[in-house]
Structures are given as structure tokens and as C-alpha cells.
Amino acid sequence: LDYVFAKAALTVLEPLNLLFLKYATGLVLVLAIKLKQDRRSVVRVKDIPFFVLCSLSGEILYNFCEYTSMDYLPVSLITIILSFVPAVSIIAERILFKKRFTAKMVLGISICIIGVAIVIGADFKELFQGRLIGYLLAFGAVIAWNAYNFITASLSKNYSSPSMTMNQLICTLLILGPYAIHTMPPAETFTPDVIGGVIYLGLISAGLGFM
């Protein structure tokens, strides 16, 4: 559903405009949950550089690559490519942490990729369609998301899910804000479909999804 709503919203918005609105909406939900569950200090100063890296990799670079690739590839094909995320994670763990690569991992990755393809009804012949830049962007999103996962894992032991999500969303909004606000299209271009899509992306995809 994320891809469907994003595709519609990108007819009016640039990728970074959409990302800013999506995360601003998600922050409302996350902040409400955070205030209800935990009102303690929300960030350690020494962790701020890591939150910046989380924002740059998992939020900004990942979404920019994903949304921009929609200009060059079918959404169904992008979905299949992004299902390679766990495969890249396992390879990275093998290289960085010498974690064993087992037959169960191979089977799990295969089920993940084939399952995504079956659910969306994709034709695997589509793997050979589209423009090269689209593939590079989609695989760039895969790499960015894995970098985000490893950085987030190193922080997770010190923060609750609402605190972690809130810090990442705030950091992303601060980075994107100057550009996104300056380049935002006029209010009259926002149709009900686009507004509804942004609300869904913010509350469900960004808010609940990240937590």
C-alpha cells in the first residue's frame, strides 16, 4: 500500500516533499504514543551523530531512491527488488561479523522474494524491463535500508520503540525542512487523494511502521 499511495502523491510532490509531509504526519502519532508511555529524556547527546546517520540512510536516502525509481521501473518490479533486503543483510553479517550462512537462510530468502512476487502477481519477465538508473536506485534503497538497520540495532538497547522512532523522525524533519518547505507546491495542487495518501503514509507507514 505504501507504493500505491506514494505513486499517486508523487504526481504532485517531489520525493523529498512527500517524505517531509509523511514524517511530519507520522511524528504526531509517535509523539502522542511517546507522551503516553514514556516522558523521560529522549536522546543522549553522544547518540545524536548515529541518529543523523539513521535519518540520512534509512529515511532520506532509502525513500529518495525508492520514490525516484518509480519514474523508471514498474512498482511491482521495485517491490520485488526491495524484497532482497534480508539477502543483503545476511551477506553483510557474513562479511562484517563472520556469521554462518546456512541452507535455512537461503530457503528463507527465496520464500521471501517468491512470496512477494506471488502476492503482487508480478511477471518475472519484468525483471528485464525498465531503465538501468531505475535498477540502480532500487538497489541503492536496499543498501541504504541495510545500513539503517545496522545503525538502529546498535542504538536499540538504549531506547524504547517510541523514543527511537521519534528521535529519527525529528532528525529527518530538521534535515529536510529547509529544502522541503522552500520547494513545496501550492496548496491548491493538493487533491483529496494526495492528502489522504499522505495521511496514510504518515500514520501507518512512517508512524506505526517504524515503531
Side-chain angles (χ1 to χ4, degrees):
L1 288 175
D2 185 294
Y3 306 116
V4 174
F5 286 114
K7 183 79 172 178
L10 289 169
T11 60
V12 173
L13 299 164
E14 293 182 19
L16 296 183
N17 295 139
L18 175 58
L19 187 58
F20 179 81
L21 293 175
K22 170 182 172 180
Y23 282 4
T25 306
L27 182 61
V28 175
L29 175 64
V30 174
L31 184 58
I33 295 173
K34 166 67 179 172
L35 292 175
K36 182 176 177 61
Q37 290 187 357
D38 176 17
R39 299 193 177 195
R40 293 175 298 172
S41 175
V42 294
V43 65
R44 302 187 305 176
V45 174
K46 67 178 182 179
D47 289 336
I48 291 176
F50 294 101
F51 280 113
V52 171
L53 289 175
C54 283
S55 294
L56 292 174
S57 58
E59 274 88 4
I60 297 174
L61 183 58
Y62 170 82
N63 283 281
F64 177 81
C65 288
E66 176 192 318
Y67 291 162
T68 306
S69 68
M70 292 181 185
D71 291 334
Y72 306 98
L73 297 175
V75 169
S76 57
L77 178 52
I78 296 170
T79 309
I80 294 174
I81 293 173
L82 294 182
S83 69
F84 281 88
V85 164
V88 176
S89 295
I90 290 173
I91 294 170
E93 287 186 324
R94 179 73 180 91
I95 295 172
L96 296 175
F97 306 114
K98 310 302 180 184
K99 188 173 180 178
R100 289 183 60 200
F101 195 79
T102 67
K104 286 184 178 180
M105 292 178 180
V106 176
L107 178 62
I109 292 168
S110 301
I111 291 173
C112 176
I113 295 169
I114 294 171
V116 169
I118 291 172
V119 168
I120 65 175
D123 184 344
F124 275 94
K125 289 184 292 186
E126 287 187 343
L127 286 172
F128 304 101
Q129 299 174 7
R131 295 168 60 182
L132 176 61
I133 188 172
Y135 293 101
L136 294 176
L137 287 165
F139 278 108
V142 171
I143 300 300
W145 186 254
N146 273 280
Y148 165 82
N149 278 341
F150 282 107
I151 300 169
T152 297
S154 69
L155 292 170
S156 61
K157 61 182 178 294
N158 298 314
Y159 297 91
S160 65
S161 291
S163 293
M164 174 79 75
T165 307
M166 187 181 72
N167 292 340
Q168 291 177 342
L169 294 186
I170 289 174
C171 190
T172 303
L173 291 172
L174 290 174
I175 294 171
L176 286 179
Y179 174 83
I181 294 172
H182 179 70
T183 59
M184 196 68 66
E188 58 268 20
T189 63
F190 285 79
T191 65
D193 286 346
V194 171
I195 295 172
V198 168
I199 292 173
Y200 172 86
L201 291 169
L203 297 182
I204 307 301
S205 181
L208 292 179
F210 271 102
M211 285 198 294

